[in-house]
Amino acid sequence: MSDSVATILLVEDDQSLGQLLAEELEMDGYTMLRAGTVDEARQQLRGQRPSLIVSDLRLPDGDGLQVLSFQQAEHPGIPFIVITAFGTVDQAVDALKAGADDFLTKPLSTDHLRLKIKRLLAQADINRQLAEIQASQNGGDNLGLVGDSSAMARLRTEIRQVARSQAAVLINGESGTGKELVARAVHQQSDRAGQAFLAVNCAGIPPDLMESEFFGHEAGAFTGARQGRKGLFAEASGGTLLLDEIGEMPLALQAKLLRVLQEGSIKPVGSDREETVDVRILAATHVDLMRAVEQGEFREDLYYRLETLSLSIPPLRERGEDVELLAMHFLKEACRRHNRGFIKLSDVTLRVLRDYPFPGNVRELSSAIERAVTFCEGDTIQPEHLPERIRKRQGASPQPLAAPASVNLSEWPTLEALQQDYVRRVMAAVDGNKRRAAQILGINRRTLYRWLETETGPAND
């Protein structure tokens, strides 16, 4: 998530209320712009693009709907909160239909307003990053892989490097990490991108049909073979063939695969002649092939032939805030499939998703979002819409700080020392990400900065 300072445009003609709200929000670290009329709001919007707009519904020269309409024309996508008196709730609903994101009624709770602002800015930040990812995907920068963690950046670099070669590639990764997506990215980055890409799951083919499936067969080669058939290697010639779950391939077929890699030729079942094929082999597995070699279940020479170029896909639990980006990506996809309108993830739901270890990786997250969209009747996904295993098994809680074994109370740490130690632990756990640390601690970043300054002197953001 971005740590840049958000700018809020506050459109409120009540000077005392406007001043109070501006001071409260400035204390949270926001940069404030002020306007008291529709015309003043338009002038502000002509000059710059704020991160979020808070507007009273009734203004001296019009209403907040006019500000909303101007904002949508000038700066579409900015979160918009409407403030309304109790008697004009119907108008506030009209504002929601017109594109506003939320509304609050007077008398106003500043805490409630701050919570809504925080939520909407976080949502807008995720939407912005998703839009950037999707735009760059169209240009090939992100290779069709959602996520901007350092682990994914490293993987993209390695994909581009191995794509330049014609050698076989071994793709390692836990189940559900997206090995086929990575294989497709390698193919699309290679000079074979315009040719066929075929993927086959070795575990899904009966052993007695594997040789025919891979290498093809002549008519009459076996019972039921009434006519000849090209195999996968021939069909993928000129392009790329992904052998998923290659650890499930029988040893006899492994020997023939090694020959394809060495000689570039195949012999269909029932044929006495070899055929030349030009196919790049990508192999994927979630098992430890080196251990399989030691146990005699995988050929050592084939392993080293494949392992020369290898890619390791990080599990989701090692990808930090990619969880939020992926959740939003899957949410948009699911909404489109279900013909649903805008649905958002609540702050609590995002926290539950961040804290869950996802043993099933990206595939499990995708399934969880699909379920949530199916069971969500409103416009906000709450934790109860997620699978029970995710709701009940959140991330491990931090270990409690141990008290000194001594009964001498003078040796016990002060509350300030405990606080500083806990803040240090949280900052280390999130790799110095102040926004994430503040979320975990349940404080705003201004307070976090003050705590850090107390401990180490002025903090650099």
Side-chain angles (χ1 to χ4, degrees):
M1 300 295 117
S2 171
D3 280 330
S4 59
V5 176
T7 300
I8 297 176
L9 171 60
L10 176 61
V11 188
E12 173 59 65
D13 62 319
D14 184 328
Q15 289 297 319
S16 58
L17 177 59
Q19 185 64 30
L20 171 64
L21 295 179
E23 290 177 355
E24 287 283 333
L25 296 175
E26 284 174 345
M27 285 290 291
D28 284 345
Y30 301 119
T31 299
M32 298 302 301
L33 302 175
R34 295 283 304 278
T37 65
V38 173
D39 186 61
E40 289 177 3
R42 287 173 175 165
Q43 292 297 327
Q44 291 279 19
L45 289 170
R46 286 191 183 101
Q48 55 191 311
R49 176 189 174 97
S51 308
L52 179 142
I53 300 173
V54 179
S55 176
D56 197 350
L57 190 57
R58 291 184 175 178
L59 297 166
D61 58 343
D63 59 42
L65 291 178
Q66 293 171 280
V67 179
L68 174 61
S69 177
F70 188 81
Q71 169 259 314
Q72 289 176 330
E74 291 289 315
H75 304 296
I78 296 176
F80 198 101
I81 299 176
V82 172
I83 301 174
T84 179
F86 178 75
T88 57
V89 171
D90 288 343
Q91 289 177 278
V93 173
D94 290 338
L96 294 180
K97 293 178 180 178
D101 294 276
D102 217 329
F103 74 92
L104 291 169
T105 57
K106 296 178 181 178
L108 201 61
S109 165
T110 56
D111 287 339
H112 198 186
L113 173 63
R114 291 161 65 190
L115 181 62
K116 285 185 180 291
I117 288 173
K118 180 180 178 182
R119 176 179 61 80
L120 287 173
L121 286 175
Q123 195 87 16
D125 196 22
I126 292 173
N127 289 339
R128 176 188 59 76
Q129 293 187 53
L130 271 176
E132 291 175 355
I133 288 171
Q134 290 165 352
S136 60
Q137 283 174 0
N138 293 334
D141 290 346
N142 278 282
L143 314 186
L145 306 175
V146 176
D148 59 2
S149 63
S150 59
M152 290 303 291
R154 199 160 46 243
L155 177 61
R156 289 191 189 94
T157 298
E158 293 172 353
I159 288 173
R160 293 187 179 95
Q161 291 170 338
V162 302
R164 296 195 293 262
S165 171
Q166 295 297 322
V169 180
L170 180 62
I171 303 172
N172 297 287
E174 297 177 7
S175 294
T177 50
K179 293 186 285 293
E180 184 171 337
L181 280 177
V182 169
R184 287 184 182 276
V186 172
H187 173 71
Q188 289 299 326
Q189 291 296 300
S190 74
D191 58 10
R192 297 173 180 262
Q195 302 300 317
F197 174 88
L198 298 182
V200 57
N201 189 327
C202 297
I205 303 176
D208 55 340
L209 296 179
M210 267 195 179
E211 186 173 356
S212 171
E213 192 72 19
F214 285 121
F215 305 123
H217 61 261
E218 296 289 326
F222 50 85
T223 303
R226 297 178 180 176
Q227 57 186 10
R229 179 183 180 277
K230 293 172 65 175
L232 291 168
F233 281 88
E235 290 178 10
S237 189
T240 305
L241 177 62
L242 168 64
L243 304 177
D244 199 5
E245 300 302 343
I246 194 171
E248 301 297 324
M249 181 177 284
L251 286 169
L253 199 60
Q254 290 177 29
K256 296 186 177 182
L257 173 59
L258 183 62
R259 179 171 176 78
V260 177
L261 292 172
Q262 291 173 337
E263 308 294 337
S265 61
I266 61 171
K267 182 184 287 187
V269 177
S271 175
D272 57 2
R273 58 184 173 79
E274 292 191 342
E275 299 177 5
T276 300
V277 292
D278 172 25
V279 59
R280 186 179 191 186
I281 302 300
L282 307 181
T285 181
H286 73 282
V287 301
D288 185 342
L289 287 186
M290 190 68 250
R291 179 175 296 178
V293 168
E294 294 170 353
Q295 295 172 348
E297 298 172 354
F298 199 83
R299 290 183 63 101
E300 184 176 21
D301 48 4
L302 177 58
Y303 169 74
Y304 285 116
R305 186 68 184 245
L306 294 172
E307 191 265 345
T308 302
L309 295 180
S310 62
L311 297 171
S312 294
I313 308 176
L316 187 53
R317 61 183 174 275
E318 295 178 5
R319 293 177 54 182
E321 291 181 344
D322 282 354
V323 171
E324 294 182 41
L325 291 175
L326 285 162
M328 290 299 300
H329 171 76
F330 292 135
L331 178 59
K332 289 188 176 182
E333 293 291 314
C335 287
R336 186 176 68 250
R337 286 194 300 273
H338 290 260
N339 294 317
R340 297 287 298 271
F342 175 74
I343 301 179
K344 55 182 177 289
L345 298 164
S346 72
D347 285 346
V348 178
T349 302
L350 283 171
R351 191 178 309 121
V352 170
L353 292 175
R354 283 194 300 262
D355 291 343
Y356 183 68
F358 283 103
N361 292 294
V362 178
R363 185 185 297 130
E364 184 181 9
L365 174 58
S366 176
S367 298
I369 297 299
E370 183 76 21
R371 181 194 190 280
V373 171
T374 301
F375 286 95
C376 178
E377 298 291 342
D379 64 354
T380 304
I381 291 177
Q382 301 293 353
E384 59 263 27
H385 300 133
L386 298 172
E388 184 178 9
R389 66 181 182 278
I390 294 180
R391 298 197 306 269
K392 292 190 173 182
R393 185 190 167 192
Q394 297 183 30
S397 301
Q399 293 296 318
L401 297 172
S406 171
V407 296
N408 186 352
L409 295 182
S410 64
E411 296 180 4
W412 283 46
T414 64
L415 183 59
E416 181 180 4
L418 289 174
Q419 173 183 291
Q420 291 177 351
D421 182 67
Y422 182 58
V423 170
R424 282 195 298 269
R425 292 185 183 206
V426 171
M427 287 292 291
V430 299
D431 295 326
N433 186 318
K434 296 184 179 65
R435 170 174 288 189
R436 183 76 180 98
Q439 290 175 338
I440 294 172
L441 293 167
I443 59 176
N444 59 51
R445 280 185 289 165
R446 187 183 183 90
T447 300
L448 177 59
Y449 294 156
R450 188 172 66 251
W451 287 0
L452 294 173
E453 288 174 359
T454 300
E455 180 180 356
T456 63
N460 296 320
D461 189 13

